[in-house]
Amino acid sequence: MDGKEQIREIIEDTPVIMAVKDWEGVRRCTAQESKVVFILFGDVCSIDEIVKTVKDAGKIAIVHIDPKIPLNYTQVIR
């Protein structure tokens, strides 16, 4: 079974996909039945930790990439 078939089967079994927009949402999703999490926040510096947390909870992470932010975007840290 390839990856697409596995995801299709998981979504058929639990058709609700949780969407998280902050760390509180990530914490709450780990206790839910749904096996798929749509991540709506983060940046190149934090997305790996967010995805790892979701995957460590046994869930599939789907990351939203905002096309309005250029790939060379940098955040100034003061």
Side-chain angles (χ1 to χ4, degrees):
M1 180 182 302
D2 69 4
K4 286 182 183 180
E5 291 175 7
Q6 286 178 317
I7 292 174
R8 179 178 289 133
E9 187 175 299
I10 289 169
I11 292 173
E12 286 173 355
D13 290 345
T14 55
V16 175
I17 297 175
M18 296 176 287
V20 295
K21 61 181 181 175
D22 54 29
W23 276 106
E24 177 61 26
V26 172
R27 284 188 282 278
R28 291 176 59 200
C29 85
T30 60
Q32 301 300 315
E33 180 182 342
S34 180
K35 294 178 175 70
V36 181
V37 179
F38 192 62
I39 301 169
L40 299 171
F41 76 106
D43 56 35
V44 296
C45 296
S46 63
I47 198 65
D48 60 334
E49 183 180 357
I50 299 165
V51 169
K52 182 180 181 324
T53 302
V54 169
K55 291 176 79 174
D56 286 350
K59 306 197 181 294
I60 295 171
I62 299 175
V63 178
H64 170 75
I65 299 173
D66 191 344
K68 292 178 272 183
I69 298 175
L71 292 177
N72 63 355
Y73 171 79
T74 56
Q75 183 177 3
V76 177
I77 301 173
R78 296 173 193 224

